[in-house]
Amino acid sequence: MSDVAINQVLSQMRAMQAMARNEGASSSEVKAAAPFSELMSQSIDQVNSSMQDSKAITARFETGDPSVSLAEVMISAQKASIQFSGMTEVRNKLLTAYKDVMNMPV
């Protein structure tokens, strides 16, 4: 996730914390915070883009493009793999949290 996305999430968390404390977050903080679904969508798009780039670099290497080294191919593949694993873990945590909330007694 990029620094901008992290800052947006932190801003949203601070606004929610202030609202929970009844401090009344400033309207600029609330407006600056992007919806969580939008942040997730952007993150998924970034992971998808990284995987597509990795696939393209691998294809270029396999066809014999002299401008692509094996190291670039391996680094690109590892970055895409790590991003995908991270996204999968976030999804798993979200599902666990959802199940915990749904199983809470009313």
Side-chain angles (χ1 to χ4, degrees):
M1 199 166 11
S2 69
D3 289 337
V4 175
I6 291 170
N7 289 334
Q8 288 175 343
V9 170
L10 287 173
S11 173
Q12 187 177 14
M13 289 173 66
R14 287 184 185 117
M16 293 172 124
Q17 180 183 25
M19 287 171 35
R21 291 183 182 166
N22 291 327
E23 293 176 358
S26 68
S27 61
S28 63
E29 273 187 45
V30 174
K31 288 179 184 176
F36 182 75
S37 61
E38 184 179 316
L39 293 175
M40 280 299 293
S41 177
Q42 289 173 357
S43 296
I44 291 169
D45 290 341
Q46 287 176 350
V47 171
N48 184 41
S49 174
S50 176
M51 293 186 80
Q52 294 298 324
D53 291 343
S54 175
K55 187 176 179 181
I57 289 174
T58 302
R60 285 177 42 207
F61 180 77
E62 288 173 348
T63 58
D65 188 348
S67 65
V68 179
S69 69
L70 179 60
E72 288 175 312
V73 172
M74 297 304 295
I75 290 171
S76 176
Q78 284 298 315
K79 281 183 181 179
S81 175
I82 290 170
Q83 287 179 342
F84 185 77
S85 296
M87 183 186 66
T88 303
E89 287 300 317
V90 169
R91 183 210 58 189
N92 291 343
K93 292 291 184 182
L94 285 171
L95 287 175
T96 302
Y98 175 78
K99 288 177 184 177
D100 290 345
V101 169
M102 294 306 291
N103 290 330
M104 285 183 179
V106 177

